[in-house]
Amino acid sequence: MRKWLYLGGAIATEVTGTMALRGAVDDPGWIPVVVAGYLASFTLLGLTLRERLPIGVAYGIWGATGVALTALLGTLLFDEVLSPTAIAGIALIVVGVVLVESGSHRAQLADHGARRLEGETT
């Protein structure tokens, strides 16, 4: 459970840093928030990996969720336009994250089963 909390924190702080980066374009006062957000994000992502979440899953979810949230928040906070193509892309990101996570879960179950069988035969 802790790995998912760390990952959620990594996503939230990365998106916060990115939104602050966009804000820093007009007001450099946001730069400390950018630096703090990215430092916190990478720290939390590292803690996520320490909790044994596979890097492909952790980075895939972190990156893809960050992209989707950043695009949506850019629309809400900065009046950036999301085209139908961009919305379709976000939907594909969500589907991709679900597929990576479910594929990783199945691989972990298969690996656990193989280890169990090896233990029974030795």
Side-chain angles (χ1 to χ4, degrees):
M1 180 62 168
R2 192 170 13 182
K3 62 186 169 189
W4 297 109
L5 292 174
Y6 287 149
L7 184 58
I11 293 165
T13 53
E14 188 270 334
V15 171
T16 299
T18 302
M19 291 294 103
L21 180 62
R22 175 58 178 85
V25 168
D26 298 323
D27 179 4
W30 285 102
I31 291 174
V33 178
V34 174
V35 173
Y38 287 144
L39 284 173
S41 181
F42 283 110
T43 299
L44 289 164
L45 186 59
L47 291 171
T48 301
L49 297 175
R50 184 175 282 167
E51 292 293 320
R52 304 285 184 237
L53 188 64
I55 192 166
V57 173
Y59 186 76
I61 293 172
W62 177 77
T65 305
V67 167
L69 287 174
T70 298
L72 294 172
L73 288 173
T75 299
L76 295 173
L77 299 175
F78 300 108
D79 294 324
E80 295 176 351
V81 177
L82 267 181
S83 68
T85 304
I87 293 168
I90 291 170
L92 288 172
I93 288 170
V94 171
V95 169
V97 166
V98 169
L99 290 174
V100 167
E101 168 56 23
S102 65
S104 172
H105 183 65
R106 287 188 191 132
Q108 287 176 344
L109 289 175
D111 183 50
H112 180 69
R115 286 184 190 176
R116 183 189 265 165
L117 287 175
E118 286 176 5
E120 291 175 2
T121 59
T122 58

